Structure formats: C-alpha cells, structure tokens
Amino acid sequence: GKSTFLQGDLRPALEAADVVVVYVDLWADTRRDPGGLIAEAIARALEPQLGIVARTARKAGLDKVKVGGLEVDTSKIGKIDGLTLTDALRLLHDHAGKPIALIIDEAQHALTSEAGEAAMTALKSARDQLNQPGVVSGSDRDKLLRLVNTAGAPFYGSQIQRMPPLGPDFIAHIAALIEAQRPELKPVDQTLLQQAFEVFGFRPQFFMAALGQVLSPLA
C-alpha cells in the first residue's frame, strides 16, 4: 500500500501544510526513461508557478519562458542543453515561496538507465543545496540499498525504513465505512475482513477494488 499511502495520505497532508508536492511514479510508464519522468514531473510543477507568462507561452505552443532574465525551456529540464534539475527546483522554490517535497515512487527503477541514475544523483545534489525534504519509495529493498549504501550512491547516507503494513485501525475504518453505507450489514466481522486483507497481500488498492465490487448493487 505504499503508493496508496503516498498519494492518498502523505501528499494531501503535505499540501494541506502549504507544501508544493512533486510526485512521480517511475513505474507509471516503464517504457519511458526514469530520468525523463523525473524531469517532466518537475517541469509540470514549475509551469504553474511561472504565472501568466508560462500559461500564455503554452497556449501559443511555446516551451520557452523568460523568468527574471532567465530563459527556461520546460521541455528540456534535466537535459544536457536545458535547465539542470537543481536549477529547476531552485526556480520552483523561489517562485512558489513554499517548501518543496519531492516524492519518487518505485525509485529503484531509476537504476535501469544511466539517465535515471544521473537524475537521482542530481536530485541528491539539489537536496543538499536547497535543503528540501525528499521521499523515495520502492518495492525492492536490495535495489533501494544500491541508492544509499556506497560512497558513490546517489543518496549515500540516507536511511531506508520498512513501512509497516496497514493493520487493525485500517480494518476498523473500512468496517465503519461499510456499516455507514450499508447499515443492514452491521456488525461487520472485522476478523474476517482482516483475513481477506491478508489474502490480498495487504495491498489496499486491490482490497478496496474487491470490496467495491461485492458491495455494488449491481454485483
């Protein structure tokens, strides 16, 4: 349930605290280079912050925007001939006037290309220079360790923590939702619901989808 947590809980909580959140899932399109996905996510977050100039440029089909005498080609962020990821994040920070949280889901996928690995190294540099918080998550602990456990690793010195699986409080919350929507099913057997959740490998997205199907009036 990491992705569900990052998108459904952590991101809204950060945004409620007036933080600009840049979220990217490196498994969203495995055909794309991870480095490109990261740069694109930062570009998307940057464009609204550049104000009416950026919106006008986009409507005109232009990628380049003049910001304080600096020409920014949002399509080339992170590329050799474009704005570096560090510069793009600094620009985003300056114009937003808020903290930035960069969340990278399935971060180990960055290791599948040189550009992806270079992007992670660049982000580490940006984090060090700007001192902004960052979160990376992944499903493969061994590969994630490669990002942190050697002196040359992009996030050397960072910590890896195992996220606890959702437990009884989550099941109680789901049971309460079911009872509120379908009072005739009271009381919901939480023990049985917990067993079903375990069958789904503690993955809330699949568990919730199955619940939605069986509770549908059309089922």
Side-chain angles (χ1 to χ4, degrees), residues 12-211:
L14 287 169
E15 289 173 342
D18 210 24
V19 174
V20 175
V21 179
V22 181
Y23 173 87
V24 57
D25 181 358
L26 298 189
W27 273 0
D29 187 348
T30 54
R31 296 168 299 179
R32 298 273 309 279
D33 187 278
L37 289 173
I38 293 170
E40 191 176 277
I42 295 173
R44 282 198 304 269
L46 180 60
E47 284 169 1
Q49 302 297 335
L50 300 185
I52 193 168
V53 176
R55 290 194 291 274
T56 304
R58 284 188 60 78
K59 286 180 180 177
L62 302 175
D63 289 318
K64 293 184 179 180
V65 180
K66 284 276 189 179
V67 185
L70 180 66
E71 187 172 70
V72 179
D73 186 341
T74 54
S75 68
K76 291 185 177 180
I77 288 177
K79 298 181 180 178
I80 292 174
D81 56 345
L83 205 64
T84 66
L85 292 178
T86 301
D87 288 339
L89 285 169
R90 181 180 288 112
L91 194 63
L92 176 59
H93 179 259
D94 290 345
H95 281 264
K98 303 174 181 178
I100 302 166
L102 180 61
I103 302 176
I104 301 179
D105 205 354
E106 300 299 351
Q108 76 281 347
H109 190 59
L111 298 172
T112 60
S113 78
E114 288 186 15
E117 206 160 346
M120 295 299 274
T121 301
L123 291 177
K124 169 63 161 58
S125 173
R127 189 194 66 175
D128 291 345
Q129 291 183 46
L130 299 175
N131 194 29
Q132 301 301 326
V135 177
V136 300
S137 80
S139 306
D140 190 322
R141 183 179 176 85
D142 290 339
K143 287 183 178 177
L144 284 177
L145 283 170
R146 287 172 54 191
L147 291 170
V148 303
N149 66 355
T150 64
F155 284 87
Y156 178 64
S158 297
Q159 294 182 338
I160 288 184
Q161 296 179 339
R162 184 177 182 87
M163 294 177 69
L166 295 171
D169 54 343
F170 171 69
I171 296 300
H173 171 67
I174 297 300
L177 289 177
I178 296 172
E179 291 176 349
Q181 295 174 21
R182 298 281 297 275
E184 73 275 15
L185 296 178
K186 289 184 179 180
V188 171
D189 187 337
Q190 294 189 26
T191 301
L192 199 59
L193 209 57
Q194 175 71 38
Q195 291 172 2
F197 187 43
E198 292 173 9
V199 170
F200 280 95
F202 299 98
R203 296 179 176 180
Q205 62 269 42
F206 301 115
F207 178 62
M208 296 293 286
L211 279 177

